[in-house]
Amino acid sequence: MKKKIKIIIICAVSLLVIIIGLVVLRSLLGKKTEEKVFYTANKESYENVIEISGTIAAAQEQTLQALSAGTVTEVYVKEGDRVKKGDIIIQLDDSEQVYNLEKHDYNTATKRLTASERELKLLETERATLVQKVNDRKVIATFDGIIADLKASVGDSLAAKDKIGTLVNTDYLTAEVEVTETDVSKLKVGQKVLFTFPAYGKDTVTGYVTGWPAIGSVTNRGATVVKVKLRIDDYPEQILPYFSFTGKIEISPTETYVVVSRYAIGYEDKEPFVVIAKGEQKKAVKVQPYGNEYVKVLEGLEGGEVLLQQTKPKTSGSNRNRNNNGGNNNNRSGGGAPSGGGSQSGGAPRR
């Protein structure tokens, strides 16, 4: 009898040990399955822009050149001087032209009493031609500006159309850039343009769109483009005409928002919420779909928060492990945007 009782006790103890072992094992397995998964709310910027490049130019530019051959008798300015519209910059020898004009005036005066009306009209036409020849012996500024360069000295002999310098108006700067035909519909006069000049470091200079022609053109690469005109009113003195630039025409202001995996969003009475990992605090949010795996958080998060998983991906085995990526599946390289995000017209999301 005692032997039987002993056997029963041993069996009961063994059974108890097995039960406890199973409970512990189940508890351990349960903890493993309930391992927490974290997601980070990433802040992203969306730029809707058209990328451009080119060289900047002065507001106005005049090539200084002799209109007829002759010897330089006067140089009235030097490089860097400011001149007004109509100022004489270079004077060529005009003794022959002045003599011919004075001789014509003398002949006209002696004939005025006897000449017919038709003869007098012909003399007036001839005088206008002689006056023009006198004026052609001068190089004159056609607008207010600065002498950018000047290569002429008294005694120089010039041929007609010889270039002797450049006059520029730098009250503002201009540029002409090529925009592809598919982006032309997005252009508006007055749109902000951000210029970056290699000669001016990383700081940007702000300009705007002033217009574009009603006709396109074809580049030597076979692309159809429209040449858009840009302008900069305020610019640093380090930037000079013919400096190169890259830039962006801003189609719409840069938009910044918070993006997070949709599995970080829970729903209570159809109202979305998240749980902040630190302190496991529940917080109401306002969201909208952003691609297949992400949502855009319109209200409730500022970006950078670490959140607990609220729903699980409907995938199995290796796919789930691959999606979770070690328990933080939206911490991808650079915090990349999901499908459907990004900027248009050549732009890209900034992080």
Side-chain angles (χ1 to χ4, degrees):
M1 190 67 178
K2 288 181 181 180
K3 190 175 181 182
K4 287 182 180 180
I5 292 172
K6 189 175 181 181
I7 293 172
I8 290 171
I9 292 171
I10 291 172
C11 289
V13 170
S14 300
L15 183 60
L16 183 60
V17 169
I18 292 171
I19 291 171
I20 291 172
L22 289 173
V23 169
V24 171
L25 182 60
R26 183 177 177 182
S27 173
L28 290 174
L29 289 173
K31 283 184 181 177
K32 189 175 181 181
T33 8
E34 291 171 7
E35 184 181 351
K36 293 178 181 179
V37 179
F38 302 92
Y39 297 94
T40 302
N42 291 322
K43 183 177 281 189
E44 296 184 352
S45 294
Y46 173 92
E47 286 187 314
N48 188 11
V49 299
I50 299 173
E51 304 282 352
I52 56 171
S53 62
T55 54
I56 206 72
Q60 293 173 284
E61 183 174 319
Q62 176 188 350
T63 298
L64 303 177
Q65 56 187 14
L67 298 178
S68 57
T71 303
V72 177
T73 57
E74 293 287 349
V75 178
Y76 294 101
V77 297
K78 61 183 183 301
E79 287 185 13
D81 283 355
R82 287 189 172 273
V83 297
K84 296 289 186 182
K85 180 179 179 179
D87 285 355
I88 300 172
I89 297 170
I90 298 290
Q91 175 69 60
L92 300 181
D93 177 20
D94 62 355
S95 53
E96 180 182 346
Q97 289 76 19
V98 170
Y99 171 78
N100 290 337
L101 178 59
E102 289 179 353
K103 182 180 178 182
H104 175 273
D105 287 346
Y106 174 79
N107 291 337
T108 301
T110 57
K111 292 179 180 179
R112 190 169 294 280
L113 296 176
T114 58
S116 66
E117 185 178 342
R118 187 173 181 181
E119 285 176 320
L120 291 175
K121 189 174 181 180
L122 184 62
L123 288 171
E124 288 176 7
T125 303
E126 187 179 353
R127 187 180 192 281
T129 302
L130 293 173
V131 169
Q132 185 60 53
K133 288 182 178 180
V134 171
N135 290 335
D136 285 350
R137 309 301 288 173
K138 303 177 179 68
V139 178
I140 298 174
T142 58
F143 53 81
D144 296 355
I146 300 172
I147 302 297
D149 67 90
L150 189 62
K151 300 172 184 175
S153 303
V154 173
D156 287 352
S157 181
L158 302 179
K161 303 298 182 182
D162 273 358
K163 179 182 176 181
I164 54 173
T166 307
L167 172 67
V168 295
N169 172 9
T170 55
D171 289 346
Y172 58 90
L173 298 177
T174 65
E176 190 175 76
V177 295
E178 294 180 350
V179 172
T180 59
E181 56 184 324
T182 53
D183 285 335
V184 173
S185 61
K186 301 168 188 172
L187 293 171
K188 291 180 182 177
V189 171
Q191 278 171 328
K192 184 193 287 187
V193 181
L194 298 176
F195 295 85
T196 302
F197 293 88
Y200 189 56
K202 295 181 180 179
D203 292 337
T204 58
V205 179
T206 303
Y208 55 95
V209 175
T210 58
W212 58 92
I215 187 171
S217 57
V218 180
T219 68
N220 53 14
R221 303 182 307 276
T224 303
V225 298
V226 168
K227 295 183 178 179
V228 180
K229 298 184 184 301
L230 314 174
R231 173 167 164 166
I232 304 174
D233 288 333
D234 299 313
Y235 62 95
E237 61 182 8
Q238 295 95 322
I239 297 173
L240 301 175
Y242 296 108
F243 275 17
S244 62
F245 66 82
T246 56
K248 304 169 184 177
I249 300 175
E250 191 176 85
I251 305 305
S252 60
T254 299
E255 180 186 356
T256 302
Y257 46 76
V258 176
V259 173
V260 71
S261 169
R262 67 187 180 93
Y263 303 115
I265 309 298
Y267 291 88
E268 192 171 70
D269 296 328
K270 298 184 178 180
E271 294 297 324
F273 69 88
V274 296
V275 176
I276 309 294
K278 187 177 181 180
E280 298 194 6
Q281 175 193 358
K282 184 186 289 187
K283 191 172 186 181
V285 291
K286 185 177 178 182
V287 299
Q288 72 177 37
Y290 188 57
N292 295 326
E293 298 294 316
Y294 291 80
V295 293
K296 186 187 293 186
V297 183
L298 305 179
E299 292 178 11
L301 297 178
E302 295 180 358
E305 297 91 343
V306 178
L307 310 174
L308 289 175
Q309 184 184 60
Q310 299 304 307
T311 57
K312 295 183 180 180
K314 293 182 180 179
T315 51
S316 61
S318 60
N319 284 339
R320 182 183 294 112
N321 294 334
R322 187 161 55 246
N323 287 339
N324 284 342
N325 193 20
N328 196 354
N329 74 340
N330 76 325
N331 284 339
R332 299 171 297 160
S333 174
S339 172
S343 91
Q344 302 170 353
S345 306
R350 296 185 303 177
R351 284 99 188 168

